[in-house]
């Protein structure tokens, strides 16, 4: 338990340059408090003390403004920066070294039993206000832009933005389709054509 606590504190220093001291991190970081309380709630959830687990989760929500269902599976070195407004559903799975900002929702869009919430693989980064819905998978090292709405799987090491979220590369390619012709390039082509025409006329005269 204390080993995991030290690791979580060290993670805050690694991912937030504003962190100055251990005392500050322990007393002033609601994201860290939410994770610590979740680990306790998750323990009781796994030993079937469901009400106690839910009560601890509810208390954590009141203290930190972060709502993590005690059934959610969260890996090591997970960090919620700023914390406020984060919601993580019951069947969510979060890998190691994931960074999440404020206002993120890992939600479901069905009332059916079973897997209903996203799976976030290792080293993913989820920007502020992003909404991820359903049993989708975010690949290792993927990055989700702020306020994006994610409804489909994201491949590893891919950056997505928008509503619905699309890969950044794809958006750039679409933008190129609407680019206007470069007037300088057009002028150079016209000059080149004139030079070639003059050269041909001179050769004909000879």
């Amino acid at each position: 338990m204390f080993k995991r606590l030290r690791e979580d504190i060290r993670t805050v220093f690694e991912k937030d340059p504003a962190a100055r001291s251990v005392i500050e991190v322990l007393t002033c970081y609601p994201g860290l408090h939410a994770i610590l309380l979740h680990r306790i709630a998750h323990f009781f959830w796994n030993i079937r003390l469901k009400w106690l687990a839910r009560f601890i989760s509810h208390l954590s929500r009141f203290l930190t403004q972060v709502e993590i269902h005690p059934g959610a599976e969260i890996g090591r070195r997970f960090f919620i920066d700023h914390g406020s407004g984060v919601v993580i559903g019951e069947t969510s799975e979060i890998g190691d070294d994931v960074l999440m900002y404020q206002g993120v929702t890992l939600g479901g869009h069905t009332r059916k039993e079973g897997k209903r919430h996203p799976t976030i693989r290792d080293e993913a980064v989820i920007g502020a206000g992003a909404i991820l819905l359903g049993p989708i998978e975010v690949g290792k090292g993927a990055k989700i832009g702020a306020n994006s709405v994610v409804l489909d799987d994201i491949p590893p090491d891919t950056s997505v933005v928008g509503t619905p979220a699309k890969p950044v590369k794809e958006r750039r390619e679409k933008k190129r389709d609407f680019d206007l012709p470069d007037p300088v390039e057009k002028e150079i082509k016209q000059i080149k054509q004139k030079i070639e025409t003059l050269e041909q006329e001179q050769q004909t005269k000879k």
Side-chain angles (χ1 to χ4, degrees):
M1 181 68 181
F2 289 105
K3 183 179 179 181
R4 183 62 63 86
L5 175 60
R6 287 196 297 270
E7 186 176 63
D8 287 335
I9 293 171
R10 188 164 57 248
T11 299
V12 175
F13 282 104
E14 291 173 355
K15 295 186 176 180
D16 185 3
R20 294 178 178 83
S21 69
V22 173
I23 294 299
E24 180 185 29
V25 169
L26 283 173
T27 56
C28 302
Y29 275 73
L32 175 64
H33 302 156
I35 294 167
L36 297 178
L37 288 170
H38 170 73
R39 298 200 192 286
I40 297 170
H42 187 65
F43 169 78
F44 287 116
W45 183 266
N46 286 338
I47 62 173
R48 299 186 179 281
L49 294 176
K50 306 289 188 181
W51 178 87
L52 180 57
R54 289 301 301 266
F55 180 75
I56 294 171
S57 177
H58 182 69
L59 180 64
S60 175
R61 177 186 178 186
F62 176 77
L63 294 173
T64 67
Q65 297 184 26
V66 175
E67 182 176 347
I68 307 176
H69 192 285
E73 299 280 349
I74 296 179
R76 299 171 60 183
R77 299 176 296 279
F78 174 52
F79 179 49
I80 305 174
D81 201 357
H82 302 295
S84 180
V86 167
V87 177
I88 299 175
E90 178 184 3
T91 61
S92 299
E93 298 175 59
I94 300 175
D96 298 335
D97 302 298
V98 172
L99 174 60
M100 181 181 292
Y101 289 89
Q102 71 273 14
V104 169
T105 297
L106 303 186
H109 54 59
T110 178
R111 300 179 65 179
K112 295 180 181 179
E113 294 185 2
K115 179 67 171 170
R116 307 187 308 279
H117 301 93
T119 296
I120 314 298
R121 298 301 181 190
D122 299 349
E123 302 173 15
V125 178
I126 306 177
I131 299 175
L132 290 74
L133 298 177
I136 60 176
E137 180 173 316
V138 176
K140 181 178 179 180
K143 294 179 175 59
I144 300 172
N147 298 315
S148 298
V149 177
V150 184
L151 305 174
D152 300 302
D153 292 348
I154 300 175
D157 299 312
T158 302
S159 297
V160 300
V161 295
T163 305
K166 299 292 182 183
V168 173
K169 183 179 179 182
E170 179 180 331
R171 286 177 166 264
R172 285 176 180 169
E173 288 174 350
K174 286 183 179 179
K175 186 177 180 181
R176 286 196 198 99
D177 292 339
F178 295 96
D179 285 345
L180 295 173
D182 186 347
V184 176
E185 184 180 354
K186 184 178 179 181
E187 191 70 26
I188 291 172
K189 286 182 177 179
Q190 289 177 349
I191 293 171
K192 187 178 179 182
Q193 286 176 354
K194 289 180 179 179
I195 292 172
E196 289 176 352
T197 302
L198 288 172
E199 288 178 349
Q200 288 175 1
E201 289 177 355
Q202 288 177 357
Q203 288 177 0
T204 303
K205 289 178 180 180
K206 288 179 181 180

